[in-house]
Amino acid sequence: MQRGRESSDDGPQQITRGAMPGAGCRLTVAMAHRLRCRSSETMTTTSTQLTVAMVLPGDVDDDGFVQAGDEALSTIEHELGAATRSIEGVASETESLATAIRDLATERPDLLIVHGGQGSAAAADVAPDHPDIAFVVTQGSVTGPNLASYVVLQEQSAFLAGAAAGLLTESDVVGHISGIRVPPGLKGRAAYAAGVAHTNPDATLLTTFAGDQDDADLARRVAEAQIERSADTIFTMLNTGRSGAITAADEHGIDLFGNVGTWYPDHPETFVGSAVADVGADAIAAARDFENGDWQADRIVEIGLEEPEAVRLSLAPDVPDDVRERVDALAERIVAGKLAVETDYDGPEFAPFDAE
């Protein structure tokens, strides 16, 4: 049943949307949202404007995870009137992320957001050195005296995507392609696998972490290898690399599920649905909490299917009503706490290039 953006190698870039107040002098920010700019020994300006900084690991035009964070920072700027600054294009490894976090911390923002669970260790390392800054890791799992994690439960929509894939597959073989092995991606894969098994226990799952979220040619070759093994539906948990899977799907007439945002409107011949998980929503929630005085350190805030603007399964218009009704019923059970979503996977993995 078939239907029917690029990265830079120039290294991290610091992007200033709204200039941080007090540019050109040392900034000191108190937790009560007071921005105090001191010139040598005396305070020369005072401002109550919220200041928010963000570390973005990767390309902000990736049509995926990083872009969602960048768009969230724009929302924070416009909705809350915040002055914002970001460093983008940071490598997804702890040392590079820690360096970027330290660089932004010298600006003394009220709130410093590290976008992505891959920044958990770096944030936990740097935050104690800056006790007057509130730190947040999106999709993270770390806490501390001035550190919290905000998590959009993308595993919940991934489970529903798996359940739908199990119902829609005609070959009883479904695929999954992701890039790097970060905790949210691993949880999403596990949930997708559990969803497939829930509705179609006889189905075979071909799952591959290719090692890169943005390599379109690699994603195309992995998709083609899964298609050669009879996969007729593939869940793509990728960023820029997703375009390669789209090419393969279009050439071979199979269906794709997307993630993060909705994909059917732009590719109606290709996508049967999307496991929507607006991973920018956690950054926005953290900034709103901070501005309202509700932000608390040392906790993990979770956002799931109970907030459908952030987490839901989006299905193409021509998905049969019985499939849609079955998936909706599963979503209701998850929200009601009657169905737990599995986040650990111990099944086989598909290595498409072992023979090369």
Side-chain angles (χ1 to χ4, degrees), residues 74-305:
S74 293
T75 298
I76 290 167
E77 179 185 342
H78 295 116
E79 179 182 308
L80 302 180
T84 64
R85 181 165 294 174
S86 66
I87 297 180
E88 66 179 61
V90 184
S92 291
E93 49 91 14
T94 299
E95 183 176 351
S96 295
L97 288 163
T99 297
I101 296 168
R102 290 190 182 97
D103 286 347
L104 282 179
T106 64
E107 301 284 347
R108 316 307 300 165
D110 293 298
L111 179 64
L112 200 162
I113 301 171
V114 183
H115 185 55
Q118 60 266 56
S120 291
D125 182 53
V126 176
D129 297 332
H130 302 276
D132 57 343
I133 297 175
F135 287 81
V136 165
V137 180
T138 67
Q139 303 305 100
S141 57
V142 289
T143 61
N146 62 327
L147 172 62
S149 290
Y150 279 64
V151 182
V152 168
L153 298 175
Q154 64 176 341
E155 58 264 31
Q156 292 185 347
S157 58
F159 175 89
L160 298 179
L167 294 169
L168 292 169
T169 178
E170 297 176 0
S171 66
D172 281 343
V173 180
V174 299
H176 158 269
I177 306 172
S178 193
I180 57 176
R181 293 176 179 271
V182 294
L186 291 166
K187 288 180 179 180
R189 187 268 299 272
Y192 177 74
V196 172
H198 189 88
T199 58
N200 189 346
D202 295 327
T204 297
L205 172 64
L206 305 178
T207 170
T208 304
F209 279 84
D212 195 308
Q213 297 288 126
D214 301 306
D215 188 329
D217 182 66
L218 176 61
R220 177 188 58 78
R221 292 189 294 126
V222 173
E224 288 176 344
Q226 293 189 355
I227 293 166
E228 289 176 2
R229 290 282 298 271
S230 300
D232 63 358
T233 307
I234 299 176
F235 182 32
T236 56
M237 297 186 71
L238 297 163
N239 295 333
T240 307
R242 196 184 330 259
S243 63
I246 292 171
T247 297
D250 289 345
E251 289 178 353
H252 295 275
I254 66 113
D255 291 327
L256 296 183
F257 275 92
N259 75 321
V260 181
T262 56
W263 286 88
Y264 173 84
D266 290 334
H267 302 276
E269 300 299 323
T270 310
F271 283 87
V272 68
S274 290
V276 175
D278 182 357
V279 289
D282 37 15
I284 295 170
R288 286 172 178 163
D289 283 352
F290 192 87
E291 178 71 2
N292 295 334
D294 297 326
W295 187 86
Q296 297 178 33
D298 208 24
R299 68 171 181 167
I300 296 176
V301 177
E302 296 182 336
I303 302 169
L305 289 169

Side-chain angles (χ1 to χ4, degrees), residues 329-341:
L330 292 173
E332 291 175 2
R333 292 182 60 197
I334 292 170
V335 171
K338 297 179 180 179
L339 176 61
V341 173

